[in-house]
Amino acid sequence: FFCPPRPPSPQAATRLKIPWYHQLIGGWKEELADSSAWAFSQGVSAVLSNTYAIPFEDIISQSEENEDGSIHGGVNFGYTTTAKTPENTMNSENAAAGEECPEVEYMMEENLRKLYQSAHDSGKDQMQIALQTKPVAASLQSILWIPFLSRSLVEQRPELRQSFLNLAEELERHEKELCRPITQFEAMKVGGAFAEALASASMQHFDDKHIWESTLIAQVLVECDEVFSVTDLRTNQVIQGHADGKIRRVSHLVRLENKMETHFPENAARSSAHYVGSWQITDWDDLLDGNLWYV
């Protein structure tokens, strides 16, 4: 799932509490892309550290300044798998529980973490993996605001998952009834009623306030200088990547989510408050076909 490059909407920037003058200058997009590239290196290093029980500091390389002034750490990973036995499996689990292997649940979404662990558990024995990658540039490709919904809310209430598809079907039904394309005014009328119903259905009630959750989804293209190979040691054949050890410029599409909350107090005299969460990597290179939850 890849959204073609387009200017990020002012609405998304406002949701991130970016001042209007920064929106005019546009530097926030470069900052977000640069931070995403840094998060990509940290996330790759962390998931490899947890999956293969190797200290994080042995994988992440020191940050260096690039030509454009951005600063990114790199990944330097080498690993040779061996036949799985109860003894080395227990050693791996014990090492993974150590402090040197960071917890990645806040960096990466659960499905992406599980994908790497599953690939390791079901992978071939006697393989050699080599990965060196360093981000050198990054650009924000798209950013999408999903009002009233979040991944965690949809997990709790699966009936909300199809909400926006239901809106599209409702607009299509109106066009069929009218036997003509729906006008912008008619679409806004249908959309307004839909938004009101979704807002009511998705509102969470607490003792002294109501909470609406929403989500920003960003896609960042991270350019890396990279060396990568996976070798089957039984046949000495490279089954992924390249055997020549040459550095290649590789593009990685990184997808991130940020869950936000808007709090409305029961006391009308008090003003509402908007809270921006932390970015979390949910997919890269479409390994999970976008890891979508809202369609």
Side-chain angles (χ1 to χ4, degrees), residues 41-249:
S41 291
Q42 297 287 313
V44 171
S45 299
V47 74
L48 292 175
S49 172
N50 276 258
T51 302
Y52 295 95
I54 297 175
F56 176 79
E57 296 300 329
D58 291 350
I59 299 175
I60 192 73
S61 62
Q62 295 297 319
S63 299
E64 298 177 359
E65 186 170 347
N66 296 316
E67 294 179 358
D68 62 358
S70 61
I71 299 177
H72 307 301
V75 178
N76 190 353
F77 175 74
Y79 186 81
T80 300
T81 63
T82 56
K84 295 180 177 65
T85 65
E87 180 180 357
N88 64 32
T89 299
M90 182 176 63
N91 290 339
S92 174
E93 291 174 351
N94 290 338
E99 293 182 358
E100 292 180 311
C101 293
E103 180 54 60
V104 296
E105 64 179 275
Y106 299 109
M107 297 183 190
M108 298 172 58
E109 197 275 327
E110 181 181 11
N111 292 325
L112 187 56
R113 302 197 313 268
K114 286 182 176 179
L115 178 67
Y116 274 81
Q117 188 62 54
S118 176
H120 172 56
D121 293 342
S122 61
K124 295 181 179 180
D125 298 328
Q126 302 299 321
M127 285 200 310
Q128 188 175 64
I129 305 170
L131 171 64
Q132 297 177 23
T133 185
K134 180 181 182 298
V136 295
S139 58
L140 180 62
Q141 299 295 296
S142 63
I143 189 164
L144 175 67
W145 179 50
I146 308 290
F148 308 122
L149 295 179
S150 68
R151 183 182 293 271
S152 58
L153 180 61
V154 168
E155 288 174 353
Q156 296 169 16
R157 300 180 57 189
E159 72 274 10
L160 295 176
R161 182 185 180 102
Q162 303 289 329
S163 296
F164 289 97
L165 284 181
N166 293 340
L167 172 60
E169 292 175 355
E170 182 69 10
L171 292 172
E172 184 178 3
R173 185 181 67 81
H174 274 263
E175 287 193 337
K176 289 182 178 179
E177 289 180 353
L178 296 170
C179 297
R180 61 170 173 77
I182 194 170
T183 66
Q184 185 176 5
F185 175 78
E186 291 167 337
M188 290 177 62
K189 185 177 180 181
V190 173
F194 162 82
E196 184 177 350
L198 180 57
S200 177
S202 61
M203 179 182 287
Q204 301 177 71
H205 302 275
F206 293 89
D207 292 339
D208 60 344
K209 61 181 176 291
H210 306 299
I211 295 179
W212 274 316
E213 294 180 355
S214 60
T215 307
L216 278 178
I217 301 175
Q219 294 190 128
V220 177
L221 197 65
V222 180
E223 302 283 343
C224 297
D225 284 344
E226 187 168 294
V227 177
F228 173 63
S229 65
V230 179
T231 305
D232 187 336
L233 296 179
R234 292 173 176 172
T235 62
N236 205 32
Q237 295 292 314
V238 174
I239 57 179
Q240 278 186 278
H242 303 272
D244 56 18
K246 292 182 178 179
I247 297 176
R248 289 173 168 82
R249 183 61 56 88

